[in-house]
Structure formats: C-alpha cells, structure tokens
Amino acid sequence: MGVLKKFAAATGLLAAAGVGETLYFYNRTMKRGNADTDRTIKMAGTDWEKYFPLMEGRRGFVMAQPHRDVYLTSFDGLKLHATFFPGMGGPEAEECSQAGAASPAETAQMKPESAMSPVRKAVICFHGYTGEGLSNHIAIADYFLKRGYAMLLPDARAHGESEGEYIGFGCLDRKDAHAWIRWLVGECGEDVAILLHGTSMGGATVLMASGLELPSNVKGIVSDCGFTSPKEVFTHVLNHMYHLPAFPAIQGADLLNRKLAGYGMDECNARREVRKAKVPILFIHGSADTFVPCSMCDELYDNCASPKRKLIVQGAAHAESYYKDMEAYEKALTEFMDEVMKA
C-alpha cells in the first residue's frame, strides 16, 4: 500500500504540474494584455532597432495622406477597428494634394500609375501577433500608397483598438477579414480590385481566408511568414526554442480555448485551407526565421491549389524579409500585382 500511495501522490503532482503548465502557457499566450510585444520580439529574434530610422523616415509621408478610423461589428459582436487610407485616386486625396500635404515630386510619382488603372485598387494589410494595423505597416504603406492603392489596416481582435479578450490566431481573424473585405467593397465600389497582405499571424489569416468563398473583388493574396496553425507554431516554439514538450500545455490550451474563445488550436489549418484556394497566392519567407520555420512556407506552397509564387529572402529573420531585401521583396510584389490585379 505504501508504494501505491506514493505512486498516487506522484501522479497527482504530475497532473497538478500539467494543469499549472497549461494555465501558465494559455494565459501568457492567448489572452489580451498578457501577450507581451517585447516578449514576442525577443522570441522572434529580429533586430528591429536598425530599421527604426527607415520607419520614421517613411512615417511623415504616410501620416500626411488622408486617413480615418473606421469600425465594424464582428460575427460574434466585437467592435473592430481599422485605419483607412482612401489612396491617391480619391476625392480626399485631391483635397490633400491641393493643401500641399504631398510634394509636387511625390504627386507626380503617384498620379500617373493611379490614373492608368481603370479599376480602383486597394490592399488590406493584416498584422502579426501582438502588433497593430497602423504602426506595423508604416514602411510598406509608403510602397502601396505611392502606387495608387487605397489601404485598410485593421487591428486584429484583442489587439490595438479592436475589442476582444482572446486572440484569434487567424482561425477567427479569417472571418473578420471576410467582413473587412465586404466593408471595403461597400466603401470603394463594386469594381474595386483587392489584394490581401498579411505578416506572421496576418499571413496565417489571409491563407486561412483563402479557403473561404471570397468575393470576386479579391484578386490576390500575399502571405509573409505565415504559419500553418496556432497548434503547430506553438509546438515548434516549445520544442525548439524552450526545449519543452508540447504535452500537456498545447492539448490543455486547446481544450480551454474551445470553451473560452470558441475555436480549437488546429481547427483551422492554413495547409488545409490553401488546398481549396482559388485566388493566386505569393508566399514570402525569411530563410533565417526561427519563430515560424521556413519549412512551413514550403509546406504551404506545396499544398496550395491556386496559381502561386514563392520568394525566400536569404538571411531574413521573422517578419524581416521586406527590410532585409527591399528590392527583391518589392520586385516580387510588383510582378505579382501586375499579373493578378489586371486579371
């Protein structure tokens, strides 16, 4: 009996430890306010400080363009926020230009391409885990705005000014993305051609959305370092970065999340969704990404059923590809958009 009692006590301790690990992981990872930006940056390992001068240099031009806050209600009743830039072709932009917000050189650079396009172009950019729509896209907004694109920059649920306690990790955010697409069509008109662009969790969002019945306005999808599912990316982080087993934290977090947030951690997997994709997809990833391994990009690309392209930026860490090799990134973007936005 002594041995059985000791065994039962040890089993109880292990079970308690498992519950404690699960709760610790879940609260730090899945809930608003506990998911810390600095901790995420440290885990991702990207040195952002060296890019701050570039971001600040572009901020002035971007923020001088007409923009406003917009809101919608999600399928489950959350108030979601985004920042909307109508682009250089809209009436607000004309007023801005006449007021002198853009220099003559910038105006000359932006108007011709915008004027050549018979269909208004727009891009919706989805940010990553613990990020925000506007602040995370200052650098690439310069690229899109100068090419005549309207821009919509949503804050994901449980991020920025959007409501929500539990992070969606693309599984819920793909439904929010569908709502933002419908909002943009209503705002810009039935003939608007839309590009979806996402980074990290945003990349997973647009890839998971590719399996939905998207409006015909969506002409292309760009995923930058998107992951397959929250279950798989956090299993990778626990195993390879913290050298910890995924069991029982992932399985426990899955049970909690189904009850509290309403979705399982592998319920929506981008690998499965791209098998149903009909919209062309450009996959971008950094070869030195240790947070979301580059092998996930290869796997997603191989499973994609729609027309596809892939760019691997050598030496780029997580979400660093645009900054590491801006020339290659913009070239790939431009070639992709020139093809799909005219389709």
Side-chain angles (χ1 to χ4, degrees), residues 172-264:
L172 298 181
D173 305 302
R174 69 175 187 152
K175 298 180 182 179
D176 300 334
H178 202 279
W180 283 120
I181 292 167
R182 295 196 303 271
W183 181 93
L184 192 58
V185 172
E187 177 69 22
C188 295
E190 292 293 331
D191 63 347
V192 64
I194 298 174
L195 179 76
L196 305 182
H197 181 285
T199 303
S200 191
M201 187 179 79
T205 297
V206 296
L207 292 179
M208 292 177 184
S210 73
L212 300 174
E213 285 295 326
L214 297 173
S216 60
N217 305 79
V218 178
K219 304 300 183 183
I221 293 173
V222 180
S223 171
D224 184 340
C225 61
F227 52 77
T228 49
S229 76
K231 176 184 177 181
E232 291 179 359
V233 75
F234 282 117
T235 296
H236 167 79
V237 169
L238 287 172
N239 289 344
H240 297 279
M241 299 183 72
Y242 288 95
H243 306 290
L244 294 172
F247 180 85
I250 297 297
Q251 288 74 14
D254 180 73
L255 292 173
L256 275 176
N257 211 52
R258 287 179 185 274
K259 184 172 182 62
L260 298 175
Y263 72 95

Coordinates of all heavy atoms in Angstrom, one line a residue, residues 172-264:
L172 N -10.1 32.8 -36.1 CA -11.3 33.7 -36.0 C -11.1 34.9 -36.9 O -12.0 35.5 -37.4 CB -11.5 34.1 -34.6 CG -11.9 33.0 -33.6 CD1 -12.1 33.6 -32.2 CD2 -13.1 32.2 -34.0
D173 N -9.8 35.3 -37.0 CA -9.5 36.5 -37.8 C -9.8 36.4 -39.3 O -10.1 37.4 -40.0 CB -8.0 36.8 -37.7 CG -7.6 37.0 -36.2 OD1 -8.2 37.8 -35.5 OD2 -6.7 36.2 -35.8
R174 N -9.9 35.2 -39.8 CA -10.2 35.0 -41.2 C -11.7 35.4 -41.5 O -12.0 35.9 -42.5 CB -10.0 33.6 -41.7 CG -10.9 32.5 -41.1 CD -10.7 31.2 -41.7 NE -11.7 30.2 -41.3 CZ -12.0 29.2 -42.1 NH1 -11.5 29.0 -43.3 NH2 -12.9 28.3 -41.6
K175 N -12.5 35.2 -40.4 CA -13.9 35.6 -40.6 C -14.0 37.2 -40.5 O -14.8 37.8 -41.2 CB -14.8 35.0 -39.5 CG -14.8 33.5 -39.5 CD -15.7 32.9 -38.4 CE -15.7 31.4 -38.5 NZ -16.5 30.8 -37.4
D176 N -13.2 37.7 -39.6 CA -13.1 39.2 -39.6 C -12.6 39.8 -40.9 O -13.0 40.8 -41.3 CB -12.2 39.6 -38.4 CG -12.7 39.1 -37.1 OD1 -13.9 38.9 -36.9 OD2 -11.9 39.0 -36.1
A177 N -11.6 39.1 -41.5 CA -11.1 39.5 -42.8 C -12.1 39.5 -43.8 O -12.2 40.5 -44.6 CB -9.9 38.6 -43.2
H178 N -13.0 38.5 -43.8 CA -14.1 38.5 -44.8 C -15.0 39.7 -44.6 O -15.5 40.3 -45.6 CB -14.9 37.2 -44.6 CG -15.7 36.8 -45.8 ND1 -16.9 37.3 -46.1 CD2 -15.4 35.9 -46.8 CE1 -17.4 36.8 -47.2 NE2 -16.5 35.9 -47.7
A179 N -15.3 40.1 -43.3 CA -16.1 41.2 -43.0 C -15.4 42.5 -43.5 O -16.1 43.4 -44.0 CB -16.4 41.3 -41.5
W180 N -14.1 42.6 -43.3 CA -13.4 43.8 -43.8 C -13.4 43.9 -45.3 O -13.5 45.0 -45.9 CB -12.0 43.9 -43.3 CG -11.9 44.3 -41.8 CD1 -11.4 43.5 -40.8 CD2 -12.3 45.5 -41.3 NE1 -11.4 44.2 -39.6 CE2 -12.0 45.5 -39.9 CE3 -12.9 46.7 -41.8 CZ2 -12.2 46.5 -39.0 CZ3 -13.1 47.7 -40.9 CH2 -12.8 47.7 -39.6
I181 N -13.3 42.8 -46.0 CA -13.4 42.8 -47.5 C -14.8 43.4 -47.9 O -14.8 44.2 -48.8 CB -13.2 41.4 -48.0 CG1 -11.8 40.9 -47.8 CG2 -13.5 41.3 -49.5 CD1 -11.6 39.4 -48.0
R182 N -15.8 42.9 -47.3 CA -17.2 43.4 -47.6 C -17.3 44.9 -47.3 O -17.9 45.6 -48.1 CB -18.3 42.6 -46.9 CG -18.3 41.1 -47.2 CD -19.6 40.5 -46.7 NE -19.8 40.7 -45.3 CZ -19.4 39.8 -44.4 NH1 -18.7 38.7 -44.8 NH2 -19.6 40.0 -43.1
W183 N -16.7 45.3 -46.2 CA -16.7 46.8 -45.9 C -16.0 47.6 -47.0 O -16.5 48.6 -47.4 CB -16.0 47.0 -44.5 CG -16.0 48.5 -44.2 CD1 -17.0 49.1 -43.4 CD2 -15.1 49.5 -44.6 NE1 -16.7 50.5 -43.3 CE2 -15.5 50.7 -44.0 CE3 -13.9 49.5 -45.3 CZ2 -14.9 51.9 -44.2 CZ3 -13.3 50.7 -45.5 CH2 -13.7 51.9 -44.9
L184 N -14.8 47.1 -47.4 CA -14.1 47.8 -48.4 C -14.8 47.9 -49.8 O -14.7 48.9 -50.4 CB -12.7 47.1 -48.6 CG -11.6 47.9 -49.4 CD1 -11.3 49.2 -48.7 CD2 -10.3 47.1 -49.5
V185 N -15.5 46.8 -50.2 CA -16.2 46.8 -51.4 C -17.3 47.9 -51.3 O -17.6 48.6 -52.2 CB -16.8 45.4 -51.7 CG1 -17.8 45.5 -52.9 CG2 -15.7 44.4 -52.0
G186 N -18.0 47.9 -50.1 CA -19.0 48.9 -49.9 C -18.5 50.3 -49.9 O -19.2 51.3 -50.4
E187 N -17.3 50.5 -49.5 CA -16.7 51.8 -49.4 C -16.1 52.3 -50.8 O -16.3 53.4 -51.2 CB -15.5 51.8 -48.4 CG -14.8 53.1 -48.3 CD -15.6 54.3 -47.7 OE1 -16.6 54.0 -47.0 OE2 -15.2 55.4 -47.9
C188 N -15.5 51.4 -51.5 CA -14.8 51.8 -52.7 C -15.5 51.4 -54.0 O -15.1 51.9 -55.1 CB -13.4 51.0 -52.8 SG -12.3 51.6 -51.5
G189 N -16.6 50.6 -53.9 CA -17.4 50.3 -55.1 C -17.2 48.9 -55.5 O -16.2 48.2 -55.2
E190 N -18.2 48.4 -56.3 CA -18.2 47.0 -56.7 C -17.1 46.6 -57.6 O -16.8 45.5 -57.8 CB -19.6 46.7 -57.4 CG -20.8 46.8 -56.4 CD -20.7 45.7 -55.4 OE1 -20.2 44.6 -55.7 OE2 -21.3 45.9 -54.3
D191 N -16.5 47.6 -58.3 CA -15.4 47.3 -59.2 C -14.0 47.4 -58.6 O -13.0 47.2 -59.3 CB -15.5 48.3 -60.4 CG -15.2 49.7 -60.0 OD1 -15.3 50.0 -58.8 OD2 -15.0 50.6 -61.0
V192 N -13.9 47.6 -57.3 CA -12.6 47.7 -56.6 C -11.9 46.3 -56.7 O -12.5 45.3 -56.5 CB -12.7 48.1 -55.2 CG1 -13.5 47.1 -54.3 CG2 -11.3 48.4 -54.6
A193 N -10.6 46.3 -57.0 CA -9.7 45.1 -57.1 C -8.9 45.1 -55.8 O -8.2 46.1 -55.5 CB -8.8 45.2 -58.3
I194 N -9.0 44.0 -55.0 CA -8.5 44.0 -53.7 C -7.3 42.9 -53.6 O -7.4 41.8 -54.1 CB -9.5 43.6 -52.7 CG1 -10.6 44.7 -52.6 CG2 -9.0 43.4 -51.3 CD1 -11.8 44.3 -51.8
L195 N -6.3 43.4 -52.9 CA -5.1 42.5 -52.6 C -5.2 42.3 -51.1 O -5.3 43.2 -50.3 CB -3.8 43.1 -53.0 CG -2.5 42.3 -52.7 CD1 -2.4 41.2 -53.7 CD2 -1.3 43.2 -52.8
L196 N -5.0 41.0 -50.6 CA -4.8 40.8 -49.2 C -3.4 40.5 -48.9 O -2.7 39.7 -49.6 CB -5.7 39.5 -48.8 CG -7.1 39.5 -49.1 CD1 -7.8 38.2 -48.6 CD2 -7.8 40.7 -48.5
H197 N -2.9 41.2 -47.9 CA -1.5 41.1 -47.5 C -1.4 40.8 -46.0 O -2.0 41.5 -45.2 CB -0.7 42.3 -47.8 CG 0.8 42.3 -47.5 ND1 1.3 42.4 -46.2 CD2 1.9 42.2 -48.3 CE1 2.6 42.3 -46.2 NE2 3.0 42.1 -47.5
G198 N -0.7 39.8 -45.6 CA -0.6 39.5 -44.1 C 0.8 39.1 -43.7 O 1.5 38.5 -44.5
T199 N 1.2 39.4 -42.5 CA 2.5 39.1 -42.0 C 2.4 38.3 -40.7 O 1.6 38.7 -39.8 CB 3.3 40.4 -41.7 OG1 3.5 41.1 -42.9 CG2 4.7 40.0 -41.2
S200 N 3.1 37.1 -40.6 CA 3.0 36.3 -39.5 C 1.6 35.8 -39.2 O 1.0 35.1 -40.0 CB 3.7 37.0 -38.3 OG 3.9 36.1 -37.2
M201 N 1.0 36.2 -38.0 CA -0.4 35.8 -37.8 C -1.3 36.4 -38.9 O -2.3 35.7 -39.2 CB -0.8 36.3 -36.4 CG -2.2 35.9 -35.9 SD -2.6 36.5 -34.3 CE -3.1 38.2 -34.7
G202 N -0.9 37.5 -39.4 CA -1.7 38.1 -40.5 C -1.5 37.3 -41.8 O -2.5 37.1 -42.6
G203 N -0.3 36.7 -41.9 CA -0.1 35.8 -43.1 C -1.0 34.5 -42.9 O -1.5 34.1 -43.9
A204 N -1.0 34.0 -41.7 CA -1.9 32.8 -41.5 C -3.4 33.2 -41.7 O -4.1 32.4 -42.3 CB -1.7 32.3 -40.0
T205 N -3.7 34.4 -41.3 CA -5.1 34.9 -41.5 C -5.5 34.9 -43.0 O -6.6 34.4 -43.4 CB -5.3 36.3 -40.9 OG1 -5.0 36.3 -39.5 CG2 -6.7 36.9 -41.2
V206 N -4.7 35.5 -43.9 CA -5.0 35.5 -45.3 C -5.0 34.2 -45.9 O -5.8 33.9 -46.8 CB -4.2 36.6 -46.0 CG1 -4.4 38.0 -45.5 CG2 -2.7 36.2 -46.0
L207 N -4.1 33.3 -45.5 CA -4.1 31.9 -46.0 C -5.3 31.1 -45.6 O -5.9 30.4 -46.4 CB -2.8 31.2 -45.6 CG -1.5 31.8 -46.2 CD1 -0.3 31.0 -45.7 CD2 -1.5 31.7 -47.7
M208 N -5.7 31.3 -44.3 CA -6.9 30.6 -43.9 C -8.1 31.2 -44.6 O -9.1 30.4 -44.8 CB -7.0 30.7 -42.3 CG -5.9 30.0 -41.6 SD -6.1 30.3 -39.8 CE -4.6 29.4 -39.2
A209 N -8.1 32.5 -44.9 CA -9.2 33.1 -45.6 C -9.3 32.6 -47.0 O -10.4 32.6 -47.7 CB -9.1 34.6 -45.6
S210 N -8.2 32.1 -47.6 CA -8.2 31.6 -49.0 C -9.1 30.4 -49.2 O -9.5 30.2 -50.3 CB -6.7 31.2 -49.4 OG -6.3 30.0 -48.8
G211 N -9.4 29.7 -48.1 CA -10.3 28.6 -48.3 C -11.8 28.9 -48.2 O -12.7 28.1 -48.4
L212 N -12.1 30.2 -47.9 CA -13.5 30.7 -47.9 C -13.9 31.1 -49.3 O -13.1 31.2 -50.2 CB -13.6 31.9 -46.9 CG -13.2 31.7 -45.5 CD1 -13.2 33.1 -44.8 CD2 -14.1 30.7 -44.8
E213 N -15.3 31.3 -49.4 CA -15.8 31.8 -50.6 C -15.6 33.3 -50.6 O -16.4 34.0 -50.0 CB -17.3 31.4 -50.8 CG -17.5 30.0 -51.1 CD -17.0 29.6 -52.5 OE1 -17.0 30.5 -53.4 OE2 -16.5 28.5 -52.7
L214 N -14.5 33.8 -51.2 CA -14.2 35.2 -51.2 C -14.9 35.9 -52.3 O -15.2 35.4 -53.4 CB -12.7 35.4 -51.3 CG -11.8 34.8 -50.2 CD1 -10.4 34.9 -50.6 CD2 -12.1 35.5 -48.9
P215 N -15.3 37.2 -52.1 CA -15.8 38.0 -53.2 C -14.9 38.0 -54.4 O -13.6 38.0 -54.2 CB -16.0 39.4 -52.6 CG -16.1 39.1 -51.1 CD -15.2 38.0 -50.9
S216 N -15.4 38.2 -55.6 CA -14.6 38.2 -56.8 C -13.6 39.4 -56.8 O -12.7 39.4 -57.6 CB -15.5 38.2 -58.0 OG -16.3 39.3 -58.1
N217 N -13.9 40.4 -56.0 CA -13.0 41.5 -55.9 C -11.6 41.2 -55.4 O -10.6 41.9 -55.8 CB -13.6 42.6 -54.9 CG -15.0 43.0 -55.3 OD1 -15.9 42.3 -54.9 ND2 -15.2 44.1 -55.9
V218 N -11.5 40.1 -54.7 CA -10.2 39.7 -54.2 C -9.4 39.0 -55.3 O -9.7 37.9 -55.8 CB -10.3 38.7 -53.0 CG1 -8.9 38.3 -52.5 CG2 -11.1 39.4 -51.8
K219 N -8.3 39.7 -55.7 CA -7.6 39.2 -56.9 C -6.3 38.5 -56.5 O -5.8 37.7 -57.3 CB -7.2 40.4 -57.8 CG -8.4 41.3 -58.2 CD -9.4 40.5 -59.0 CE -10.5 41.3 -59.5 NZ -11.6 40.6 -60.2
G220 N -5.8 38.7 -55.3 CA -4.5 38.1 -55.0 C -4.3 38.1 -53.5 O -4.9 38.9 -52.8
I221 N -3.5 37.2 -53.0 CA -3.1 37.1 -51.6 C -1.6 37.0 -51.4 O -0.9 36.3 -52.2 CB -3.8 35.8 -50.9 CG1 -5.3 36.0 -50.9 CG2 -3.2 35.5 -49.5 CD1 -6.0 34.7 -50.5
V222 N -1.1 37.8 -50.5 CA 0.4 37.8 -50.2 C 0.5 37.4 -48.7 O 0.0 38.0 -47.8 CB 1.0 39.1 -50.4 CG1 2.5 39.0 -50.1 CG2 0.8 39.6 -51.8
S223 N 1.2 36.2 -48.5 CA 1.5 35.8 -47.1 C 3.0 35.9 -46.8 O 3.8 35.3 -47.5 CB 1.0 34.3 -46.9 OG 1.5 33.9 -45.7
D224 N 3.3 36.7 -45.9 CA 4.7 36.9 -45.4 C 4.9 36.2 -44.1 O 4.3 36.6 -43.1 CB 5.0 38.4 -45.3 CG 6.4 38.7 -44.9 OD1 7.1 37.8 -44.4 OD2 6.9 39.9 -45.1
C225 N 5.6 35.1 -44.1 CA 6.0 34.3 -42.9 C 4.8 33.8 -42.2 O 4.7 33.8 -40.9 CB 7.0 35.0 -42.0 SG 6.5 36.5 -41.2
G226 N 3.7 33.4 -42.9 CA 2.5 32.9 -42.3 C 2.8 31.5 -41.8 O 3.6 30.7 -42.3
F227 N 2.0 31.1 -40.7 CA 2.2 29.7 -40.2 C 1.0 28.9 -40.5 O 0.0 29.4 -41.0 CB 2.4 29.8 -38.6 CG 1.3 30.6 -37.9 CD1 0.1 30.1 -37.6 CD2 1.6 31.8 -37.4 CE1 -0.9 30.8 -36.9 CE2 0.7 32.6 -36.7 CZ -0.5 32.1 -36.5
T228 N 1.1 27.6 -40.2 CA 0.0 26.6 -40.6 C -1.1 26.7 -39.6 O -2.3 26.8 -40.0 CB 0.6 25.2 -40.7 OG1 1.3 24.9 -39.5 CG2 1.5 25.0 -41.9
S229 N -0.9 26.6 -38.3 CA -1.9 26.7 -37.3 C -1.3 27.1 -36.0 O -0.1 26.9 -35.8 CB -2.6 25.3 -37.2 OG -1.8 24.4 -36.4
P230 N -2.1 27.7 -35.1 CA -1.5 28.0 -33.8 C -0.9 26.8 -33.0 O 0.1 26.9 -32.4 CB -2.7 28.6 -33.0 CG -3.9 28.3 -33.8 CD -3.5 28.1 -35.2
K231 N -1.6 25.6 -33.2 CA -1.1 24.4 -32.5 C 0.3 24.1 -33.0 O 1.2 23.8 -32.2 CB -2.0 23.3 -32.8 CG -1.5 21.9 -32.2 CD -2.4 20.8 -32.6 CE -1.9 19.5 -32.1 NZ -2.7 18.3 -32.4
E232 N 0.5 24.2 -34.3 CA 1.8 23.7 -34.9 C 2.9 24.8 -34.6 O 4.1 24.4 -34.3 CB 1.6 23.5 -36.4 CG 0.8 22.2 -36.6 CD 0.6 21.9 -38.1 OE1 1.1 22.7 -38.9 OE2 -0.1 20.9 -38.4
V233 N 2.6 26.0 -34.7 CA 3.6 27.0 -34.4 C 4.1 27.1 -33.0 O 5.2 27.2 -32.6 CB 3.2 28.4 -34.9 CG1 2.2 29.1 -34.0 CG2 4.5 29.3 -35.1
F234 N 3.1 26.9 -32.0 CA 3.5 26.9 -30.6 C 4.1 25.6 -30.2 O 4.9 25.6 -29.3 CB 2.3 27.2 -29.8 CG 2.0 28.7 -29.8 CD1 0.8 29.2 -30.3 CD2 2.9 29.6 -29.3 CE1 0.5 30.5 -30.3 CE2 2.6 31.0 -29.3 CZ 1.4 31.5 -29.8
T235 N 3.8 24.5 -30.9 CA 4.5 23.2 -30.6 C 6.0 23.4 -31.0 O 6.9 23.0 -30.3 CB 3.9 22.1 -31.4 OG1 2.6 21.8 -30.9 CG2 4.7 20.8 -31.3
H236 N 6.2 24.1 -32.2 CA 7.6 24.4 -32.6 C 8.3 25.3 -31.6 O 9.5 25.0 -31.3 CB 7.5 25.1 -34.0 CG 8.9 25.7 -34.4 ND1 9.9 24.9 -34.9 CD2 9.3 27.0 -34.3 CE1 10.9 25.7 -35.1 NE2 10.6 26.9 -34.8
V237 N 7.7 26.3 -31.1 CA 8.3 27.2 -30.2 C 8.7 26.5 -28.9 O 9.8 26.6 -28.4 CB 7.4 28.4 -29.9 CG1 7.9 29.2 -28.7 CG2 7.3 29.3 -31.1
L238 N 7.8 25.7 -28.4 CA 8.0 25.0 -27.1 C 9.2 23.9 -27.3 O 10.1 23.8 -26.5 CB 6.8 24.3 -26.6 CG 5.7 25.1 -26.0 CD1 4.4 24.4 -25.8 CD2 6.2 25.8 -24.7
N239 N 9.1 23.2 -28.4 CA 10.1 22.2 -28.6 C 11.5 22.7 -29.0 O 12.5 22.2 -28.4 CB 9.7 21.2 -29.8 CG 8.5 20.4 -29.4 OD1 8.2 20.2 -28.2 ND2 7.8 19.8 -30.4
H240 N 11.6 23.7 -29.9 CA 12.8 24.1 -30.4 C 13.4 25.3 -29.8 O 14.6 25.6 -29.9 CB 12.7 24.3 -31.9 CG 12.3 23.0 -32.7 ND1 13.3 22.1 -33.0 CD2 11.1 22.6 -33.1 CE1 12.6 21.1 -33.6 NE2 11.4 21.4 -33.7
M241 N 12.6 26.2 -29.2 CA 13.1 27.4 -28.6 C 13.2 27.3 -27.0 O 14.2 27.8 -26.4 CB 12.2 28.6 -29.0 CG 12.2 28.8 -30.4 SD 11.2 30.3 -30.9 CE 12.3 31.6 -30.3
Y242 N 12.3 26.6 -26.4 CA 12.3 26.4 -25.0 C 12.7 25.0 -24.6 O 12.9 24.7 -23.4 CB 10.9 26.7 -24.4 CG 10.6 28.2 -24.4 CD1 9.9 28.8 -25.5 CD2 11.1 29.0 -23.4 CE1 9.6 30.1 -25.5 CE2 10.9 30.4 -23.5 CZ 10.1 30.9 -24.5 OH 9.9 32.3 -24.5
H243 N 12.8 24.1 -25.5 CA 13.2 22.7 -25.3 C 12.3 22.0 -24.3 O 12.8 21.3 -23.3 CB 14.7 22.6 -24.8 CG 15.7 23.3 -25.8 ND1 16.0 22.8 -27.0 CD2 16.3 24.5 -25.6 CE1 16.8 23.6 -27.6 NE2 17.0 24.7 -26.8
L244 N 11.0 22.3 -24.4 CA 10.0 21.7 -23.6 C 9.0 20.9 -24.4 O 8.8 21.1 -25.6 CB 9.2 22.8 -22.9 CG 9.9 23.7 -21.9 CD1 9.1 24.9 -21.5 CD2 10.3 22.9 -20.7
P245 N 8.5 19.8 -23.8 CA 7.5 19.0 -24.5 C 6.2 19.9 -24.7 O 5.8 20.7 -23.9 CB 7.2 17.8 -23.6 CG 7.6 18.4 -22.3 CD 8.7 19.3 -22.4
A246 N 5.5 19.6 -25.9 CA 4.3 20.3 -26.1 C 3.1 19.8 -25.3 O 2.2 20.5 -24.9 CB 3.9 20.2 -27.6
F247 N 3.2 18.5 -24.9 CA 2.2 17.9 -24.0 C 2.6 18.2 -22.5 O 3.8 18.0 -22.1 CB 2.2 16.4 -24.2 CG 1.1 15.7 -23.4 CD1 -0.2 15.6 -23.8 CD2 1.5 15.1 -22.2 CE1 -1.1 15.0 -23.0 CE2 0.6 14.5 -21.4 CZ -0.7 14.4 -21.8
P248 N 1.7 18.6 -21.7 CA 0.2 18.7 -21.9 C -0.2 20.2 -22.3 O -1.4 20.4 -22.4 CB -0.4 18.3 -20.6 CG 0.6 18.9 -19.6 CD 2.0 18.8 -20.2
A249 N 0.7 21.1 -22.4 CA 0.4 22.5 -22.5 C -0.5 22.8 -23.7 O -1.5 23.5 -23.6 CB 1.6 23.4 -22.6
I250 N -0.1 22.2 -24.9 CA -0.9 22.5 -26.1 C -2.3 21.9 -26.1 O -3.3 22.5 -26.4 CB -0.1 22.0 -27.3 CG1 1.2 22.8 -27.5 CG2 -0.9 22.2 -28.6 CD1 1.1 24.2 -27.7
Q251 N -2.3 20.6 -25.6 CA -3.6 19.9 -25.5 C -4.5 20.6 -24.5 O -5.7 20.7 -24.8 CB -3.4 18.4 -25.2 CG -2.7 17.6 -26.3 CD -1.3 17.9 -26.5 OE1 -0.6 18.5 -25.7 NE2 -0.7 17.4 -27.6
G252 N -4.0 21.0 -23.4 CA -4.8 21.7 -22.4 C -5.3 23.0 -22.9 O -6.4 23.4 -22.7
A253 N -4.4 23.7 -23.6 CA -4.7 25.0 -24.1 C -5.8 24.9 -25.2 O -6.7 25.8 -25.3 CB -3.5 25.7 -24.7
D254 N -5.7 23.8 -25.9 CA -6.8 23.6 -26.9 C -8.1 23.4 -26.3 O -9.1 24.0 -26.7 CB -6.4 22.3 -27.7 CG -7.4 22.0 -28.8 OD1 -7.5 22.8 -29.8 OD2 -8.2 21.1 -28.7
L255 N -8.2 22.6 -25.2 CA -9.5 22.4 -24.5 C -10.0 23.7 -23.9 O -11.2 24.1 -24.1 CB -9.3 21.4 -23.4 CG -9.1 20.0 -23.9 CD1 -8.8 19.1 -22.7 CD2 -10.3 19.4 -24.6
L256 N -9.1 24.5 -23.3 CA -9.5 25.8 -22.8 C -10.0 26.7 -23.8 O -11.0 27.4 -23.7 CB -8.3 26.4 -22.0 CG -8.1 26.0 -20.6 CD1 -6.8 26.7 -20.1 CD2 -9.2 26.4 -19.7
N257 N -9.3 26.8 -24.9 CA -9.6 27.7 -26.0 C -10.9 27.4 -26.7 O -11.7 28.3 -27.1 CB -8.5 27.7 -27.0 CG -8.3 29.1 -27.7 OD1 -8.2 30.1 -27.0 ND2 -8.3 29.2 -29.0
R258 N -11.2 26.1 -26.8 CA -12.5 25.8 -27.4 C -13.7 26.3 -26.5 O -14.7 26.7 -27.0 CB -12.6 24.2 -27.5 CG -11.8 23.7 -28.6 CD -11.9 22.2 -28.7 NE -11.0 21.6 -29.7 CZ -11.2 21.5 -31.0 NH1 -12.4 21.9 -31.4 NH2 -10.4 21.0 -31.8
K259 N -13.5 26.2 -25.2 CA -14.5 26.7 -24.3 C -14.6 28.2 -24.2 O -15.7 28.8 -24.2 CB -14.3 26.0 -22.9 CG -15.4 26.4 -21.9 CD -15.2 25.6 -20.6 CE -16.4 25.8 -19.7 NZ -17.7 25.4 -20.2
L260 N -13.4 28.8 -24.1 CA -13.4 30.3 -23.8 C -13.4 31.1 -25.1 O -14.1 32.2 -25.1 CB -12.1 30.6 -23.0 CG -12.0 29.9 -21.6 CD1 -10.7 30.2 -21.0 CD2 -13.1 30.4 -20.7
A261 N -12.6 30.7 -26.1 CA -12.5 31.5 -27.3 C -13.4 31.0 -28.4 O -13.6 31.7 -29.4 CB -11.1 31.6 -27.7
G262 N -13.8 29.8 -28.3 CA -14.7 29.2 -29.4 C -14.1 28.6 -30.6 O -14.7 28.4 -31.6
Y263 N -12.8 28.3 -30.5 CA -12.2 27.6 -31.6 C -11.0 26.7 -31.1 O -10.4 27.0 -30.0 CB -11.6 28.5 -32.6 CG -10.4 29.4 -32.2 CD1 -9.1 29.0 -32.5 CD2 -10.6 30.5 -31.5 CE1 -8.0 29.7 -32.2 CE2 -9.5 31.3 -31.1 CZ -8.2 30.9 -31.5 OH -7.1 31.6 -31.1
G264 N -10.7 25.6 -31.8 CA -9.6 24.8 -31.5 C -8.3 25.3 -32.1 O -8.4 25.9 -33.1

